């Protein structure tokens, strides 16, 4: 019995350290455009939970020292999770948003935690020379974004508007959304 009391807490301690305090390769870009290679410390168990925490702040190990950066402290950062490099950008110095596409138009993904177990994705379009952001929640059943949420965001571009309105393009997933945004940008910007 005594051995079991020692082994179980030992494995739980190891599991918690692996699951909740991991370090990943990353790069940060300072307001002065300096790019620094760092280790990013993440708390959380699943990728979605880890990414939602990164929207508010990023904790990095730089030259052996842990620092916390808020959106007002950095222009952007990248983190390598498993096999994927995920870029984030400071949006209006208020939050870090995941960049899905960036050219004349920017497409961001923001995670919004509704309750402890309910997180929704919100896709945000930032158009050139426009201070407003168009927000589109991922709430569709057969589509990632419903027509009702998509149409107001693109009403300034007749050809793209008609494609969505007439169901020529259905935004089923992020890949289709990104391709649509590229087409939207080419057609109207």
């Amino acid at each position: 019995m005594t051995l079991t009391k020692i082994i179980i807490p030992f494995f739980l301690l190891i599991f918690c350290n692996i699951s909740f305090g991991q370090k990943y390769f990353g790069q940060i870009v300072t307001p002065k455009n300096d790019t620094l290679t760092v280790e990013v410390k993440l708390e959380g168990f699943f990728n979605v939970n880890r990414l939602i925490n990164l929207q508010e702040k990023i904790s990095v190990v730089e030259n052996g020292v842990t620092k916390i950066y808020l959106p007002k402290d950095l222009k952007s950062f990248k983190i390598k999770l498993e096999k994927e490099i995920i870029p984030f950008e400071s949006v209006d110095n208020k939050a870090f948003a995941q960049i899905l596409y960036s050219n004349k138009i920017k497409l961001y993904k923001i995670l919004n935690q509704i309750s402890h177990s309910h997180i929704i994705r919100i896709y945000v379009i930032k158009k050139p020379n426009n201070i407003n952001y168009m927000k589109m929640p991922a709430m569709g059943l057969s589509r990632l974004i419903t027509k009702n949420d998509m149409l107001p965001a693109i009403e300034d571009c007749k050809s793209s508007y008609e494609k969505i309105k007439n169901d020529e393009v259905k935004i089923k997933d992020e890949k289709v959304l990104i391709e649509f945004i590229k087409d939207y940008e080419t057609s109207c910007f």
Side-chain angles (χ1 to χ4, degrees):
M1 272 249 199
T2 309
L3 187 58
T4 306
K5 288 181 182 180
I6 294 171
I7 292 175
I8 291 175
F10 176 74
F11 282 113
L12 286 174
L13 181 63
I14 289 174
F15 175 74
C16 287
N17 284 335
I18 291 171
S19 299
F20 297 103
Q22 298 180 358
K23 294 180 186 175
Y24 297 89
F25 169 79
Q27 289 184 323
I28 59 174
V29 178
T30 67
K32 295 179 181 178
N33 286 328
D34 295 328
T35 301
L36 307 171
T37 300
V38 296
E39 283 185 320
V40 179
K41 290 173 64 173
L42 285 181
E43 305 295 323
F45 192 59
F46 299 106
N47 278 347
V48 173
N49 292 341
R50 293 186 288 187
L51 293 179
I52 202 165
N53 292 333
L54 288 175
Q55 294 176 159
E56 297 172 11
K57 64 184 175 185
I58 179 174
S59 179
V60 304
V61 178
E62 185 181 343
N63 299 324
V65 178
T66 300
K67 294 182 182 179
I68 294 177
Y69 291 101
L70 301 174
K72 66 182 178 68
D73 302 324
L74 297 175
K75 280 188 171 185
S76 63
F77 69 89
K78 295 178 184 176
I79 182 169
K80 184 175 183 183
L81 288 177
E82 286 73 45
K83 297 176 184 176
E84 182 180 12
I85 295 176
I86 303 173
F88 285 81
E89 184 172 84
S90 176
V91 178
D92 295 336
N93 293 328
K94 295 178 182 174
F96 291 117
Q98 184 180 345
I99 305 167
L100 297 179
Y101 177 74
S102 179
N103 198 7
K104 292 177 188 174
I105 292 179
K106 294 189 179 205
L107 176 65
Y108 300 111
K109 177 170 65 173
I110 296 172
L111 302 173
N112 191 1
Q113 189 157 9
I114 303 299
S115 67
H116 178 68
S117 62
H118 188 104
I119 296 173
I120 62 167
R121 295 169 289 172
I122 299 174
Y123 295 93
V124 180
I125 298 174
K126 172 124 177 35
K127 300 173 187 179
N129 302 324
N130 193 340
I131 59 170
N132 296 323
Y133 298 88
M134 300 305 295
K135 297 179 182 176
M136 304 169 297
M139 300 290 277
L141 296 175
S142 64
R143 303 169 196 239
L144 180 66
I145 301 170
T146 65
K147 269 194 210 184
N148 291 340
D149 289 319
M150 191 73 181
L151 289 174
I154 59 167
E155 64 188 1
D156 57 349
C157 182
K158 185 173 173 41
S159 62
S160 297
Y161 186 90
E162 292 298 320
K163 287 178 184 177
I164 295 294
K165 185 179 176 186
N166 298 329
D167 281 334
E168 293 173 39
V169 176
K170 294 180 182 179
I171 308 298
K172 299 178 292 195
D173 57 35
E174 284 183 4
K175 288 180 183 179
V176 174
L177 176 61
I178 292 167
E179 290 306 313
F180 177 79
I181 293 298
K182 289 178 184 177
D183 181 64
Y184 169 63
E185 178 181 67
T186 303
S187 299
C188 295
F189 291 94

